[in-house]
C-alpha cells in the first residue's frame, strides 16, 4: 500500500483550510486531531472499519471537496466523519483497501447480527 494521507477539514466556502481539524490516514490507523485551545486526538484502527461512504454535495463538487464516512466497530466513533476534504475519492478507496488488508493480517472476521437467536431454554432440538 505505502500511501498515507494528511488532510485538513476545510470550509465549504472556497474550500479554505481555516479549521483546526486534521485527518491522518495511515496503513493501520485513522487519526483525527481537532481543536485549538483544547486539543483532542482520536484514533481508529483500520481493521475496525466495516464500511465506507463518500458524499459529495453540489457545493463540495464545485470546490473539489467531499465527505468520507467510515462506519466502524469503534466505541468512541461508530460513525467516523472526515468532513470537507480534498482527494476524498482516493481516500475512500484507500480506506476500503487498507481496512480489508488490516482485517486479513489480524485474521479478523466481520460478522453481522441478523437477529436469529436460538432459544436453548425451550429445549427444542428437533431436526
Amino acid at each position: 500500500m505505502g500511501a498515507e494521507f494528511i488532510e485538513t477539514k476545510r470550509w465549504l466556502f472556497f474550500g479554505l483550510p481555516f479549521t483546526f481539524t486534521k485527518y491522518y490516514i495511515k496503513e493501520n490507523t485513522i487519526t483525527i486531531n481537532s481543536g485549538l485551545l483544547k486539543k483532542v486526538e482520536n484514533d481508529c484502527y483500520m481493521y475496525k472499519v466495516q464500511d465506507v461512504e463518500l458524499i459529495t454535495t453540489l457545493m463540495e463538487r464545485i470546490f473539489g471537496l467531499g465527505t468520507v464516512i467510515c462506519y466502524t466497530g469503534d466505541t468512541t466513533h461508530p460513525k467516523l466523519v472526515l468532513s470537507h476534504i480534498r482527494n476524498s475519492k482516493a481516500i475512500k478507496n484507500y480506506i476500503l483497501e487498507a481496512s480489508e488488508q488490516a482485517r486479513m493480517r489480524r485474521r479478523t472476521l466481520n460478522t453481522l447480527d441478523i437477529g436469529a437467536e436460538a432459544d436453548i431454554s425451550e429445549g427444542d432440538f428437533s431436526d
Side-chain angles (χ1 to χ4, degrees), residues 47-51 103 108-112:
Y47 75 90
K48 290 185 176 186
V49 175
Q50 298 168 353
D51 196 14
R103 279 193 296 277
T108 304
L109 179 62
N110 195 9
T111 59
L112 296 174

Side-chain angles (χ1 to χ4, degrees), residues 10 44 46 53 67 70 81 92 102 110 118:
R10 298 170 181 274
C44 178
M46 276 294 183
E53 180 179 21
T67 297
C70 302
V81 180
K92 177 198 72 96
N110 195 9

Side-chain angles (χ1 to χ4, degrees), residues 32-121:
I32 300 175
N33 286 334
S34 61
L36 174 63
L37 299 176
K38 178 184 173 186
K39 297 287 282 182
V40 177
E41 183 174 300
N42 189 359
D43 295 311
C44 178
Y45 288 108
M46 276 294 183
Y47 75 90
K48 290 185 176 186
V49 175
Q50 298 168 353
D51 196 14
V52 183
E53 180 179 21
L54 173 63
I55 297 174
T56 53
T57 63
L58 178 61
M59 287 297 288
E60 285 178 323
R61 287 193 305 267
I62 289 171
F63 297 114
L65 305 174
T67 297
V68 177
I69 302 174
C70 302
Y71 298 95
T72 71
D74 193 32
T75 55
T76 56
H77 276 95
K79 186 177 176 181
L80 195 64
V81 180
L82 311 177
S83 299
H84 310 310
I85 57 174
R86 295 194 187 272
N87 305 311
S88 56
K89 188 163 184 92
I91 289 172
K92 177 198 72 96
N93 292 334
Y94 177 79
I95 292 172
L96 272 175
E97 292 175 23
S99 64
E100 183 64 27
Q101 288 183 1
R103 279 193 296 277
M104 292 177 114
R105 278 193 305 272
R106 291 180 63 97
R107 295 187 175 119
T108 304
L109 179 62
N110 195 9
T111 59
L112 296 174
D113 179 16
I114 57 172
E117 295 181 14
D119 192 4
I120 299 174
S121 63

